[in-house]
Amino acid sequence: MRIVHVAQFLGIGGLEKIVYHLALEQQKRGHTVDIYIYDHERTWVDFFRKSGLNVITPELKKPGYDFSLLKRMDHDFQGYDVIHSHDLNPLMYLGPLRLWKKLTFKKWGKLIHTTHGLDHIDNYPRGKLYQQIFSRFADKMIGVSEKIGLFYTRDIGLAAKKVAVIQNGISTYEGEITPEMRAEKKAWLAARHGLDITRPIILSLSRVVPLKDQKFLIEALKKRPFYQLIVAGPPSEQAYYDELKKMEDQNIKMVGSQELVADYNMGSDMYVSASTHEGIPVAVLEAMAVETPCLVSKIPGHMTLLKYGDYVELFKLHDQDDFLNKFDEMFARIYQTQKNAQKARGLVEDHYSVKTMVNNYFKEYEA
């Protein structure tokens, strides 16, 4: 099968990690897989290529709706069995092309579309209108959470048979995780960022953007100076990132983009997220997969993690008192906290692995 994944950007983020794992596993199974990136953010292109993935980087998209890109895609996507778009912008080009092929009885690949989050609906006035128009042209619309699936059937009005929910999957760590291993990773992490190895290290790892609300975490943990916080991730809004940089001190470190995600998670005593919106939260799953305790905001995307076991702690969104109370409780009962984290790893392996995700996608490809 020839498959192409189409995304506007290839920065360092949750969507990109899903495309990465999906493409690698599909390629491992003997399929021909390409990744097509047409806009300016291409930070991870070299990383993908070094991993053995073929990334196509055509001429950059022009501002606004680029009709030359539409024409280019019509030419570039001949011969694929599956054209898999990720998030709204690619669908705004591929949807009309798919419709035109159907109307003119011309052969073209099946258009599968995955929506990884709904922040564009909340943040852009025309987001919902564009979804109402272009979602109807895909052969299958896939949401990474039940909330997204319901959005398409209830709010957009798509037929239930046209919508599927496939939860994100991650690459899981195969070996045993020992206390000695975690101590070694913590020593490495402390040395890397000038932290005190004798005090707990707390990690937040995601795009640095108001939607993820890292400012909440910094302000809260400044009230707990015994603990040290690493905020890792690329800036998506420079002004916001610069504001947070000014809040750094000896206990708060802004460290930018980091590729050694498993090492950062394994070297941390706790993972925290104050995100205001998530689909299925890849960064949290990655922490769970290496037995790092997680304290995350009570939003639908995070609440789905409790579906198979109550091993992740939730706090009320924007509620600093509740966050600090839960935070203190988790360290006060650290033995039970660590036991829950070990069980959370099993939950990820059973329900959120890459293999499970890829199997579910192939069912839609072949339907």
Side-chain angles (χ1 to χ4, degrees), residues 67-86:
F67 286 95
S68 63
L69 175 61
L70 191 72
K71 183 177 180 180
R72 193 159 59 244
M73 285 181 167
D74 186 18
H75 173 269
D76 291 347
F77 295 145
Q78 300 296 328
Y80 286 102
D81 301 296
V82 173
I83 302 167
H84 190 156
S85 56
H86 297 268

Side-chain angles (χ1 to χ4, degrees), residues 345-358:
R345 180 188 180 189
L347 181 155
V348 173
E349 290 171 344
D350 292 342
H351 301 285
Y352 297 102
S353 71
V354 168
K355 291 180 181 178
T356 299
M357 175 182 69
V358 172

Side-chain angles (χ1 to χ4, degrees), residues 230-244:
I230 292 176
V231 176
S236 287
E237 293 188 20
Q238 194 61 47
Y240 180 70
Y241 193 87
D242 292 343
E243 178 187 0
L244 299 193

Side-chain angles (χ1 to χ4, degrees), residues 95-301:
L97 284 173
R98 182 66 177 128
L99 177 63
W100 176 247
K101 300 298 180 182
K102 288 180 179 178
L103 292 175
T104 56
F105 302 101
K106 292 182 179 178
K107 187 176 180 181
W108 220 50
K110 181 181 288 189
L111 178 57
I112 304 293
H113 178 78
T114 297
T115 295
H116 295 262
L118 295 176
D119 51 302
H120 61 288
I121 302 299
D122 299 326
N123 297 329
Y124 300 101
R126 296 181 183 177
K128 187 171 182 179
L129 173 63
Y130 290 154
Q131 286 284 186
Q132 288 172 329
I133 296 170
F134 296 105
S135 300
R136 304 181 188 282
F137 304 151
D139 294 289
K140 195 79 173 197
M141 293 294 293
I142 294 171
V144 300
S145 70
E146 295 291 344
K147 179 183 177 181
I148 296 174
L150 284 173
F151 168 77
Y152 283 113
T153 55
R154 183 183 58 202
D155 298 344
I156 301 299
L158 298 183
K161 65 180 181 180
K162 189 168 182 171
V163 178
V165 174
I166 298 178
Q167 294 172 331
N168 286 337
I170 64 165
S171 181
T172 53
Y173 186 84
E174 299 295 336
E176 181 185 2
I177 297 173
T178 64
E180 292 77 16
M181 183 186 300
R182 296 192 72 93
E184 180 182 326
K185 296 297 184 185
K186 184 173 181 178
W188 168 82
L189 191 57
R192 185 177 176 93
H193 296 298
L195 297 174
D196 182 350
I197 193 174
T198 67
R199 295 190 285 133
I201 296 175
I202 315 302
L203 176 67
S204 169
L205 196 158
S206 65
R207 287 180 299 121
V208 181
V209 63
L211 180 76
K212 305 294 185 179
D213 207 359
Q214 290 93 347
K215 184 177 180 180
F216 172 92
L217 299 172
I218 293 173
E219 290 177 338
L221 288 173
K222 278 183 176 289
K223 296 183 177 181
R224 296 291 186 273
F226 179 68
Y227 299 91
Q228 304 165 106
L229 173 66
I230 292 176
V231 176
S236 287
E237 293 188 20
Q238 194 61 47
Y240 180 70
Y241 193 87
D242 292 343
E243 178 187 0
L244 299 193
K245 281 288 287 184
K246 293 177 183 177
M247 301 173 73
E248 279 188 302
D249 58 29
Q250 70 272 20
N251 295 324
I252 308 290
K253 304 290 184 178
M254 302 280 295
V255 301
S257 299
Q258 301 294 331
E259 293 182 1
L260 300 173
V261 173
D263 291 339
Y264 269 74
N265 278 312
M266 208 178 295
S268 300
D269 296 281
M270 184 182 292
Y271 182 91
V272 292
S273 170
S275 182
T276 59
H277 176 79
E278 295 284 350
I280 291 293
V282 173
V284 184
L285 288 173
E286 288 174 330
M288 294 166 67
V290 294
E291 302 179 8
T292 300
C294 296
L295 174 60
V296 298
S297 51
K298 191 174 183 179
I299 56 174

Side-chain angles (χ1 to χ4, degrees), residues 23-56:
L24 271 182
E25 181 67 19
Q26 289 171 340
Q27 189 167 275
K28 191 187 301 182
R29 297 187 188 191
H31 301 279
T32 300
V33 184
D34 296 319
I35 299 163
Y36 191 96
I37 307 298
Y38 57 85
D39 219 333
H40 66 277
E41 173 54 79
R42 298 178 177 182
T43 303
W44 238 357
V45 166
D46 287 343
F47 171 70
F48 273 52
R49 286 173 174 164
K50 287 175 183 176
S51 299
L53 294 170
N54 183 45
V55 183
I56 300 169

